[in-house]
Amino acid sequence: MLVLRDLVKVYPGPVTALRGVRLEVQSGMFGLLGPNGAGKSTLMKIVAGLLEPTSGQVELDGADVLADPRRVQRRLGYLPQDFGFYPHLSGRDMLIHLLRLKGVKAKGGLKRLAGELLERVALGSAASRKVKEYSGGMRQRLGIAQAIAGDPRLIVVDEPTAGLDPEERLRFYHLLAELAQDRIVLLSTHIVEDVSVLCPAFAVIRQGELVARTTPSRARAAIQGTIHEGEVGAEDLPALLERHTVTRSTLFEGRHRVRVFADDGRPPAGFSAAQESLEDAYMILMKRGADFLSRGADAPPEDSRPPSAEANEGASLAANTEAEA
Ligand code: ADP
Ligand code: MG
């Protein structure tokens, strides 16, 4: 189990990137969903033992990551958001170089290990090709190859699907899902689809705070029956945005196709009920906060919660309901 306790990170500036993040993650895939600048990469680097928090603790299976990063790093694989490659090296040589940097030892030699790892991420036939000829998806898989060396207990992947085309993304999803079968995979993303496809559980981070910890099905259930869809002309859009929480607005044949959260049971005229999606729930969370997540859930009485739990309200409610499921 991975445990984060009250993580705070203040960069020089000062910029407060994390404001007391508490989180427990069991085996399997766990998503960390949030917009740009929310603090995802900061959190991932701290978990990977590469960045010191201003305060707080990180524990992996009972071991303190921050006290002894080197020891824990052996049980940890990390794919950073910006991965540096030497474009002129072959995939195999690049991987060998990365394994060396990581201090990986292999009985049969690094070359043999690199070959095995490349097979594992379906790059065996591209091992001799130069990295500069690799597609975005192939590069990310090469990144995963170095991350899984040594069979780590925890894999941290920071926005791995950004910039991948749909086919590469699908392939990458399969690889990640396979890796999560017997270890913790912590995946950060700003793409809601990553979470709905891959993550049985996830947390939402916003401005350095976890605003919810829930599951995709629970988040959808919390907004069941509230989403309505319709079309409006450009002239009517501003008024609609003012009066309603819009979860999606796309242009279609010159008109705006809009989805609204109508939790008061009064959707705009001419709108009809639509199937709620995780993206709807995420947009509502971003625009209105996490209160809606407690719909239908047994919330603890107001006075039983310490004032400091306020910011984590969505998180604790969701955690409570999770235990019941
Ligand atoms: P995300 O990965 O979710 O986009 P980051 O963790 O990269 O978010 O950044 C969180 C906040 O911290 C942002 O406001 C960002 O500008 C700031 N930040 C990140 N790295 C640094 C740094 N090295 N120095 C100062 N501010 C930083
Ligand atoms: Mg980032």
Side-chain angles (χ1 to χ4, degrees):
M1 186 165 71
L2 174 70
V3 182
L4 313 184
R5 287 203 193 90
D6 301 314
L7 281 183
V8 172
K9 180 64 188 181
V10 183
Y11 288 112
V15 178
T16 305
L18 297 178
R19 303 167 188 269
V21 170
R22 279 179 286 160
L23 185 66
E24 287 186 5
V25 179
Q26 313 276 355
S27 270
M29 183 87 64
F30 188 89
L32 183 69
L33 177 65
N36 280 340
K40 299 182 296 297
S41 292
T42 300
L43 185 72
M44 305 301 257
K45 284 178 208 163
I46 291 172
V47 171
L50 297 171
L51 180 69
E52 228 180 295
T54 306
S55 61
Q57 276 124 35
V58 180
E59 226 177 75
L60 177 61
D61 296 334
D64 189 336
V65 171
L66 306 168
D68 193 357
R70 279 179 179 241
R71 220 190 79 207
V72 178
Q73 265 164 15
R74 260 181 260 135
R75 294 192 293 142
L76 188 149
Y78 172 54
L79 179 60
Q81 184 170 359
D82 302 302
F83 203 84
F85 289 108
Y86 295 120
H88 295 287
L89 290 186
S90 69
R92 183 191 297 107
D93 288 342
M94 184 71 229
L95 181 55
I96 291 171
H97 174 75
L98 292 169
L99 296 176
R100 246 182 226 130
L101 282 184
K102 214 177 153 184
V104 174
K105 305 259 188 309
K107 272 187 200 131
L110 283 184
K111 190 167 175 188
R112 187 163 138 200
L113 175 63
E116 287 166 10
L117 291 169
L118 288 168
E119 288 295 334
R120 193 87 203 274
V121 299
L123 284 176
S125 59
S128 305
R129 277 167 61 191
K130 290 193 168 148
V131 173
K132 68 176 175 188
E133 293 165 12
Y134 277 20
S135 68
M138 291 167 81
R139 284 178 196 211
Q140 287 301 70
R141 280 186 274 137
L142 188 60
I144 287 291
Q146 64 77 33
I148 59 178
D151 197 19
R153 168 82 184 109
L154 166 68
I155 294 184
V156 176
V157 282
D158 194 4
E159 301 233 24
T161 65
L164 300 191
D165 68 33
E167 198 180 321
E168 287 179 328
R169 179 167 299 170
L170 196 64
R171 186 162 199 172
F172 200 73
Y173 283 160
H174 283 289
L175 178 59
L176 286 176
E178 194 187 303
L179 293 178
Q181 274 172 7
D182 45 8
R183 53 169 68 82
I184 305 171
V185 177
L186 185 61
L187 164 98
S188 87
T189 184
H190 68 272
I191 299 165
V192 178
E193 193 198 348
D194 288 356
V195 173
S196 55
V197 171
L198 284 175
C199 303
F202 70 103
V204 176
I205 185 169
R206 183 188 174 199
Q207 294 176 358
E209 275 177 292
L210 290 196
V211 290
R213 186 203 200 285
T214 185
T215 73
S217 54
R218 194 157 294 123
R220 279 192 300 265
I223 56 168
Q224 198 177 5
T226 64
I227 302 299
H228 291 73
E229 204 171 61
E231 279 183 19
V232 294
E235 67 285 359
D236 294 326
L237 190 62
L240 191 81
L241 284 167
E242 186 132 317
R243 231 168 291 143
H244 296 274
T245 303
V246 170
T247 62
R248 175 166 228 186
S249 169
T250 47
L251 265 176
F252 184 74
E253 294 176 357
R255 285 176 64 81
H256 293 271
R257 188 170 277 180
V258 182
R259 289 166 74 88
V260 300
F261 175 49
D263 56 333
D264 55 1
R266 290 158 58 191
F271 276 48
S272 47
Q275 181 73 46
E276 60 280 350
S277 70
L278 187 59
E279 188 190 342
D280 294 321
Y282 177 60
M283 293 312 294
I284 295 162
L285 193 60
M286 285 293 137
K287 292 184 172 181
R288 297 261 299 258
D291 285 352
F292 77 91
L293 278 177
S294 59
R295 272 173 38 129
D298 278 339
E302 206 68 44
D303 56 4
S304 76
R305 275 174 291 163
S308 62
E310 211 57 33
N312 262 328
E313 190 159 320
S316 51
L317 286 175
N320 286 340
T321 54
E322 212 157 344
E324 291 160 20

